[in-house]
Short mmCIF file of all heavy atoms in Angstrom, two decimals:
data_model
loop_
_atom_site.label_atom_id
_atom_site.label_comp_id
_atom_site.label_asym_id
_atom_site.label_seq_id
_atom_site.Cartn_x
_atom_site.Cartn_y
_atom_site.Cartn_z
N ARG A 175 20.71 151.03 194.16
CA ARG A 175 21.51 151.00 195.41
C ARG A 175 21.25 152.16 196.30
O ARG A 175 21.34 152.05 197.51
CB ARG A 175 23.01 150.92 195.04
CG ARG A 175 23.37 149.68 194.30
CD ARG A 175 24.77 149.67 193.75
NE ARG A 175 25.79 149.84 194.75
CZ ARG A 175 27.12 149.90 194.49
NH1 ARG A 175 27.53 149.82 193.28
NH2 ARG A 175 27.93 150.04 195.50
N PHE A 176 20.88 153.34 195.73
CA PHE A 176 20.59 154.52 196.55
C PHE A 176 19.36 154.29 197.40
O PHE A 176 19.23 154.89 198.47
CB PHE A 176 20.41 155.74 195.65
CG PHE A 176 21.68 156.18 194.94
CD1 PHE A 176 22.03 155.70 193.71
CD2 PHE A 176 22.51 157.09 195.57
CE1 PHE A 176 23.15 156.10 193.08
CE2 PHE A 176 23.70 157.52 194.95
CZ PHE A 176 24.03 157.00 193.69
N PHE A 177 18.41 153.51 196.92
CA PHE A 177 17.15 153.35 197.59
C PHE A 177 17.28 152.63 198.94
O PHE A 177 16.41 152.72 199.76
CB PHE A 177 16.13 152.61 196.70
CG PHE A 177 15.98 153.19 195.36
CD1 PHE A 177 15.57 152.42 194.24
CD2 PHE A 177 16.28 154.54 195.10
CE1 PHE A 177 15.42 152.96 192.99
CE2 PHE A 177 16.13 155.10 193.83
CZ PHE A 177 15.72 154.29 192.80
N PHE A 178 18.38 151.87 199.08
CA PHE A 178 18.63 151.14 200.34
C PHE A 178 19.45 151.99 201.33
O PHE A 178 19.62 151.57 202.48
CB PHE A 178 19.37 149.83 200.07
CG PHE A 178 18.55 148.89 199.18
CD1 PHE A 178 18.86 148.80 197.82
CD2 PHE A 178 17.58 148.11 199.69
CE1 PHE A 178 18.14 147.93 196.99
CE2 PHE A 178 16.87 147.25 198.89
CZ PHE A 178 17.10 147.14 197.54
N CYS A 179 19.97 153.10 200.85
CA CYS A 179 20.88 153.91 201.69
C CYS A 179 20.25 155.21 202.19
O CYS A 179 20.77 155.82 203.12
CB CYS A 179 22.14 154.24 200.87
SG CYS A 179 23.06 152.82 200.31
N PHE A 180 19.14 155.65 201.57
CA PHE A 180 18.51 156.90 201.97
C PHE A 180 16.98 156.73 202.10
O PHE A 180 16.42 155.87 201.49
CB PHE A 180 18.80 157.98 200.92
CG PHE A 180 20.24 158.28 200.69
CD1 PHE A 180 20.94 157.76 199.59
CD2 PHE A 180 21.00 159.02 201.59
CE1 PHE A 180 22.27 157.95 199.39
CE2 PHE A 180 22.33 159.26 201.43
CZ PHE A 180 23.01 158.72 200.32
N GLU A 181 16.41 157.58 202.92
CA GLU A 181 14.92 157.58 203.04
C GLU A 181 14.30 158.20 201.80
O GLU A 181 14.91 159.05 201.17
CB GLU A 181 14.54 158.40 204.31
CG GLU A 181 15.01 157.79 205.60
CD GLU A 181 14.28 156.52 205.96
OE1 GLU A 181 13.15 156.35 205.48
OE2 GLU A 181 14.87 155.69 206.71
N LYS A 182 13.07 157.79 201.51
CA LYS A 182 12.34 158.39 200.40
C LYS A 182 12.21 159.91 200.60
O LYS A 182 12.04 160.33 201.74
CB LYS A 182 10.97 157.73 200.24
CG LYS A 182 10.97 156.38 199.58
CD LYS A 182 9.61 155.92 199.19
CE LYS A 182 9.72 154.64 198.41
NZ LYS A 182 8.33 154.20 197.94
N GLY A 183 12.29 160.63 199.51
CA GLY A 183 12.24 162.09 199.59
C GLY A 183 13.62 162.70 199.56
O GLY A 183 13.74 163.91 199.40
N HIS A 184 14.68 161.91 199.78
CA HIS A 184 16.01 162.43 199.78
C HIS A 184 16.40 162.90 198.37
O HIS A 184 16.02 162.32 197.37
CB HIS A 184 16.99 161.36 200.23
CG HIS A 184 18.44 161.81 200.31
ND1 HIS A 184 18.92 162.56 201.31
CD2 HIS A 184 19.44 161.61 199.44
CE1 HIS A 184 20.21 162.80 201.11
NE2 HIS A 184 20.57 162.24 199.98
N ARG A 185 17.21 163.98 198.31
CA ARG A 185 17.72 164.49 197.06
C ARG A 185 19.14 164.04 196.87
O ARG A 185 20.04 164.39 197.64
CB ARG A 185 17.66 166.05 197.04
CG ARG A 185 18.04 166.67 195.73
CD ARG A 185 17.86 168.20 195.83
NE ARG A 185 18.30 168.90 194.65
CZ ARG A 185 17.57 169.10 193.57
NH1 ARG A 185 16.34 168.59 193.51
NH2 ARG A 185 18.04 169.75 192.49
N ILE A 186 19.38 163.19 195.86
CA ILE A 186 20.69 162.63 195.59
C ILE A 186 21.60 163.68 195.05
O ILE A 186 21.32 164.41 194.06
CB ILE A 186 20.58 161.46 194.60
CG1 ILE A 186 19.58 160.43 195.09
CG2 ILE A 186 21.96 160.80 194.39
CD1 ILE A 186 19.89 159.78 196.40
N THR A 187 22.79 163.83 195.66
CA THR A 187 23.78 164.84 195.26
C THR A 187 25.05 164.15 194.76
O THR A 187 25.19 162.93 194.81
CB THR A 187 24.16 165.73 196.44
OG1 THR A 187 24.82 164.89 197.44
CG2 THR A 187 22.91 166.35 197.06
N VAL A 188 25.97 164.98 194.25
CA VAL A 188 27.27 164.45 193.79
C VAL A 188 28.00 163.75 194.94
O VAL A 188 28.63 162.74 194.73
CB VAL A 188 28.15 165.57 193.21
CG1 VAL A 188 29.54 165.12 192.97
CG2 VAL A 188 27.55 166.09 191.87
#
Side-chain angles (χ1 to χ4, degrees):
R175 295 170 62 181
F176 291 91
F177 308 154
F178 299 98
C179 301
F180 301 101
E181 295 290 335
K182 282 192 174 183
H184 181 78
R185 184 177 176 83
I186 306 300
T187 66
V188 169

